[in-house]
Structures are given as structure tokens and as C-alpha cells.
């Protein structure tokens, strides 16, 4: 079958690498892809929100399945676009329809869904510009620190943790009245702060049955020791030792089953991935957020641990028979170290030539913010490469991924050397 993969980041590179190994895939197309995805298929110069262009390409190239990597096309309704089109409706799209994608697209929607379906999550209320004074009153009773979340998509930047009431009042005012995060902060969720250790859990579902993929832990802050500004993710590891069988059973019973059953009960069709951002608080799982797609850089640690045919699993989602498919997970540990551009996550260096990828010894190099200019690979994004090593234990995986990241050079290259050290 011919498969179209939408996206251009490290997550899509890991998907492309895994899909290309399947005997069920004849041709893989990646739109738009990056400098690394071309080794697994054919890059297509199409943006993932150009729905009309995607339609024309899918029909011209006999596409039999579309896998959506990033959240933006899902929140904008690419799945609905296919279902509403006579020529496209027979092509399965892996990724939820627009209404279900509100689990990520609207923090208010997802919090209300959790509350209706008994999913454990922090206490919260939502406010708008018109209810700013009520927001101030709620802040006064919420306890500190307190979390402010822009309701809409804000490229990972719309969450603030405030340690004083004055700071919280100022930030809430800026978000609601000065559009600090644009349209995304026209509504703001004020949420109780949860203490604990974070975990990313990934579920594939056909809307009825589900498979739990390998869990992972990611590292958001730019500086070693988890200091400095938040980023899109500086690295990840899988598995995570504190997510043992007993904890994961709680996750399944208290979070995954109520989520999948809640979607069914509310008549919300869902075919794709559910990323559940959890906080492990004294051994109990609390949901911080849902995403309607796989995480990045966690996907780069999760995909190498899946030993079964990934395309077969995707077909199970598409055809509604996921329960019959086999999911085999490696006992090995995957560690991912992300190389970023100098200056990231602020203004960062671009168009720097990358060298040394060929010197990497025992890791996969998943491209993220890269492009080809002639024969040269150029760094064009904030997160440039994700270096993943799969080894028998966490220490070896972390050591190998870090050593291999150090074999790559471009002007301004930076990566954290302490990814996963808190788990050793």
C-alpha cells in the first residue's frame, strides 16, 4: 500500500523509519518531510495544512492511508475533510476528527471531558476577558503555586506556573486582555498545581479497543539539572522505572479505560493516538493534559521499542480490528538526546551546515529541523536532530546517545548531557 505521512519533525522521522520497515508499505510519501526522511521514502513539497494539495496528491498517487503527525491539521479538521469528500472518504486517516481533537485543541474542553468521565485531574476553572474579576477571586482561593493554561494551541508555550498571587494576577490579565498568547489565550484555565514526577503514556485506539504503547519521560527545560526556559523537548527515555506494572495498572483502570469509554459514551469517534500527560503523585496517576497525537521527542524513544509491524497496527486502527493485532515491545531501553540550535528556545541560529552524522556509531539519528541545500544538510529549526540509542539498560543507552550526539557538529550545536540521569 502507498502511505502518506504528514509532518516534518523528529516524530515524523521516527514514524517514517518504522513504517519503511514494514512489508505492507510499498511507497511512503512524507509531506513535507526533512533532510532525513528522504532515506525512508519520498519527500513531497506540500504543507500539512494544505488540504486541497493533499487531496490532489492522494488521488494522483493511489494513497491508501494517511498518518497525521502534528496536531495542527487534526485540530483544523483534516480527518473531517477526507470523510466529507466523495473521492477521499475511502482513504483512512490515522488521527481523530476535529471535535475529538479538541482534547488537545481546547484545555477547557479536555478538563470538562475529564470531569464528566471521572478521570483524575487537578481542580480547575476557566475564565474569559469578561470574567477576569471572577478569575482574580478564584486565584485568591486556589493556593500557590498555581498553573495558568491558555485554552488553545500555543506551540507549547501557553502554560505558566506562578509562585505568587501578584504574578498570577498579572499573567492572567496579560493573557486575557492583552492576548499574550494570541487567540489561544482568549480563554484561560486556572488549575491547581500538582507535585510529582511526569510521565507520557501513549494509547492507540480504533475507537473501541486500544493498545498501550511504551511509556516515556521527556525533558522540557533547556538547561542541565532541569533549569532554564521550557522547550519543545530536549530528550526522552523509555521505559521509565517508576511506571511499574502496579502503577500502569492504575493508569489503565483510572485513566485509559474511562477516557476511551467516555469518548464512546459521548458519541465521539476516535481513530488514532491519545497522548496522556500524567503526573505520578505519591503513586497515583493524575492527568495534566491530553494530546491528540504522539509526543516529540518521546516518539523517537517509543518507536525503536516496538518490535511488531507498525503498519499492521495502523491498519488495525483504520479497520477497527486493533484488538486482533499483535503489539510486541522490546525489554531494552531507548534514550533520546536532542541537538538544538544555538540560542534556542529564543531567537536561534539558522542555515548552519551539519557534519558528523556519519560518525554516529550505535544510535539512530532522527532529523527534525533540517533541510537539504544541494548536498549539504542545513539546520533550520530550533530542535535540529534527535539521537536515539537502544541498549540493554538505561545507563548504556544514555551513555551511547550522549556520546553519539557529541559526534555531530554545526555552528552553535547544543544538547543536554544529563538526560535521564535523574532515573539512574
Amino acid at each position: 500500500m502507498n502511505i502518506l505521512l504528514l509532518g516534518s519533525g523528529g516524530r515524523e522521522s521516527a514514524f517514517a523509519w518504522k513504517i519503511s520497515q514494514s512489508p505492507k508499505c510499498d511507497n511512503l510519501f512524507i509531506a513535507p518531510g526533512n533532510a532525513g526522511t528522504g532515506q525512508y521514502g519520498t519527500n513531497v513539497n506540500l504543507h500539512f495544512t494544505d488540504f486541497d494539495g493533499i487531496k490532489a496528491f492522494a488521488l494522483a498517487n493511489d494513497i491508501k492511508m494517511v498518518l497525521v503527525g502534528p496536531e495542527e491539521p487534526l485540530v483544523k479538521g483534516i480527518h473531517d475533510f477526507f470523510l466529507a469528500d466523495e473521492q477521499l472518504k475511502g482513504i483512512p486517516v490515522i488521527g481523530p476528527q476535529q471535535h475529538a481533537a479538541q482534547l488537545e485543541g481546547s484545555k477547557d474542553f479536555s478538563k470538562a471531558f475529564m470531569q464528566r468521565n471521572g478521570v483524575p485531574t487537578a481542580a480547575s476553572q476557566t475564565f474569559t476577558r469578561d470574567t477576569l474579576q471572577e478569575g482574580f477571586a478564584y486565584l485568591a482561593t486556589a493556593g500557590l503555586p498555581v498553573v495558568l493554561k491558555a485554552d488553545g494551541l500555543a506551540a507549547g508555550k501557553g502554560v505558566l506556573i506562578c509562585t505568587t498571587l501578584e504574578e498570577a494576577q498579572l499573567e492572567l490579565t496579560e493573557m486575557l486582555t492583552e492576548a499574550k498568547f494570541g487567540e489561544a489565550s482568549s480563554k484561560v484555565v486556572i488549575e491547581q498545581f500538582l507535585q510529582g514526577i511526569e510521565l507520557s503514556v501513549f494509547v492507540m485506539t480504533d475507537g473501541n479497543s486500544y493498545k498501550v504503547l511504551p511509556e516515556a519521560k521527556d525533558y522540557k527545560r533547556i538547561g542541565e539539572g532541569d533549569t532554564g526556559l521550557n522547550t519543545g523537548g530536549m530528550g526522552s527515555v523509555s521505559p521509565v522505572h517508576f511506571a511499574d506494572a502496579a502503577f500502569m495498572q492504575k493508569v489503565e483502570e483510572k485513566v485509559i479505560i474511562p477516557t476511551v469509554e467516555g469518548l464512546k459514551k459521548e458519541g465521539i469517534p476516535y481513530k488514532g493516538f491519545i497522548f496522556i500527560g500524567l503526573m505520578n503523585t505519591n503513586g497515583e496517576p493524575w492527568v495534566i493534559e491530553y494530546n491528540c497525537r504522539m509526543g516529540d521527542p518521546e516518539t523517537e524513544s517509543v518507536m525503536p521499542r516496538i518490535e511488531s509491524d507498525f503498519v499492521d497496527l495502523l491498519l488495525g486502527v483504520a479497520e477497527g480490528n486493533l484488538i486482533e493485532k499483535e503489539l510486541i515491545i522490546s525489554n531494552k531501553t531507548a534514550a533520546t538526546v536532542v541537538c538544538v540550535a544555538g540560542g534556542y528556545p529564543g531567537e536561534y541560529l539558522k542555515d548552519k551546515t551539519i557534519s558528523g552524522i556519519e560518525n554516529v556509531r550505535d544510535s539512530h539519528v532522527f532529523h527534525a529541523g533540517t533541510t537539504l541545500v544541494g548536498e549539504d544538510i542545513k539546520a533550520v529549526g530550533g530542535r535540529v536532530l534527535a539521537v536515539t540509542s537502544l541498549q540493554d539498560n538505561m545507563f548504556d543507552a544514555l551513555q551511547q546517545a550522549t556520546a553519539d550526539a557529541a559526534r555531530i557538529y554545526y555552528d552553535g550545536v547544543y544538547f543536554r548531557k544529563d538526560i535521564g540521569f535523574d532515573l539512574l
Side-chain angles (χ1 to χ4, degrees):
M1 64 192 301
N2 294 344
I3 298 173
L4 176 60
L5 168 61
L6 301 181
S8 63
R11 166 185 47 226
E12 289 76 38
S13 291
F15 276 154
W17 168 77
K18 197 69 183 169
I19 289 168
S20 70
Q21 298 166 16
S22 172
K24 295 180 185 291
C25 178
D26 291 321
N27 295 290
L28 173 63
F29 300 96
I30 309 101
N34 58 43
T37 52
Q39 63 191 298
Y40 311 121
T42 304
N43 288 343
V44 181
N45 188 21
L46 264 180
H47 194 265
F48 46 70
T49 57
D50 177 6
F51 292 0
D52 290 330
I54 290 167
K55 172 183 176 175
F57 182 85
L59 295 174
N61 291 275
D62 193 27
I63 296 299
K64 297 298 186 192
M65 180 191 290
V66 177
L67 172 57
V68 186
E71 65 276 12
E72 189 183 355
L74 294 169
V75 171
K76 288 185 172 174
I78 181 127
H79 195 145
D80 311 71
F81 176 81
F82 269 65
L83 289 174
D85 189 291
E86 276 302 315
Q87 294 175 284
L88 297 178
K89 66 182 182 183
I91 302 173
V93 176
I94 308 299
Q97 293 168 47
Q98 190 169 27
H99 182 55
Q102 289 301 294
L103 282 181
E104 177 168 3
S106 167
K107 300 288 189 295
D108 181 51
F109 177 93
S110 66
K111 293 294 284 193
F113 174 86
M114 288 183 239
Q115 287 156 5
R116 284 195 305 273
N117 291 287
V119 176
T121 189
S124 70
Q125 280 192 33
T126 303
F127 300 92
T128 64
R129 184 178 186 143
D130 294 336
T131 56
L132 180 61
Q133 294 306 316
E134 289 95 323
F136 286 160
Y138 185 73
L139 279 174
T141 65
L144 294 169
V146 67
V147 184
L148 306 184
K149 293 182 174 179
D151 176 62
L153 296 179
K157 297 180 175 68
V159 178
L160 303 173
I161 298 170
C162 302
T163 55
T164 69
L165 182 59
E166 293 73 24
E167 180 192 8
Q169 290 170 336
L170 178 66
E171 293 289 2
L172 182 64
T173 304
E174 286 188 3
M175 290 169 83
L176 288 175
T177 66
E178 297 170 32
K180 178 166 183 165
F181 299 108
E183 182 61 29
S185 61
S186 59
K187 278 198 246 177
V188 173
V189 176
I190 301 177
E191 187 176 273
Q192 166 198 10
F193 179 79
L194 292 172
Q195 198 76 43
I197 186 165
E198 286 190 48
L199 176 71
S200 301
V201 171
F202 303 99
V203 178
M204 282 182 103
T205 181
D206 57 11
N208 192 37
S209 63
Y210 63 87
K211 300 276 187 194
V212 184
L213 302 181
E215 80 285 355
K217 182 179 189 295
D218 76 327
Y219 294 81
K220 287 280 194 292
R221 294 192 180 273
I222 188 71
E224 290 175 7
D226 262 353
T227 56
L229 294 172
N230 263 338
T231 71
M234 296 298 295
S236 59
V237 293
S238 176
V240 182
H241 67 75
F242 64 79
D244 56 17
F247 180 77
M248 290 305 292
Q249 187 174 349
K250 287 182 183 177
V251 172
E252 193 158 2
E253 290 172 355
K254 296 184 177 186
V255 177
I256 296 172
I257 291 170
T259 297
V260 174
E261 291 300 318
L263 289 165
K264 278 197 278 188
K265 185 176 69 184
E266 297 189 14
I268 302 173
Y270 200 110
K271 286 181 176 284
F273 300 98
I274 308 174
F275 166 151
I276 304 168
L278 291 174
M279 187 71 78
N280 177 346
T281 301
N282 301 318
E284 290 296 321
W286 293 79
V287 178
I288 304 167
E289 65 175 355
Y290 291 120
N291 290 164
C292 59
R293 37 76 192 180
M294 288 290 283
D296 191 351
E298 296 100 324
T299 305
E300 293 92 303
S301 292
V302 169
M303 283 295 123
R305 292 193 59 220
I306 296 176
E307 294 182 343
S308 34
D309 186 332
F310 186 57
V311 174
D312 195 43
L313 289 164
L314 294 175
L315 281 168
V317 172
E319 296 167 359
N321 58 1
L322 183 60
I323 197 166
E324 299 167 16
K325 304 298 184 180
E326 186 176 38
L327 173 60
I328 304 166
I329 297 171
S330 168
N331 289 324
K332 292 186 174 185
T333 293
T336 300
V337 173
V338 175
C339 298
V340 303
Y344 177 79
E347 285 294 314
Y348 54 82
L349 300 174
K350 293 180 182 172
D351 300 318
K352 301 301 179 185
T353 302
I354 302 169
S355 62
I357 294 176
E358 68 282 1
N359 297 330
V360 168
R361 292 179 187 169
D362 199 11
S363 299
H364 304 291
V365 179
F366 296 119
H367 288 239
T370 66
T371 193
L372 276 175
V373 179
E375 297 290 304
D376 292 336
I377 301 171
K378 298 281 189 177
V380 292
R383 291 185 295 162
V384 179
L385 300 165
V387 181
T388 300
S389 190
L390 184 70
Q391 302 292 337
D392 289 334
N393 59 69
M394 186 166 291
F395 180 82
D396 289 348
L398 292 168
Q399 188 177 51
Q400 189 65 52
T402 306
D404 278 332
R407 294 185 168 97
I408 296 168
Y409 179 78
Y410 50 88
D411 191 18
V413 62
Y414 169 76
F415 60 90
R416 276 180 56 175
K417 301 175 182 68
D418 68 336
I419 298 300
F421 278 31
D422 58 317
L423 301 176
L424 288 175

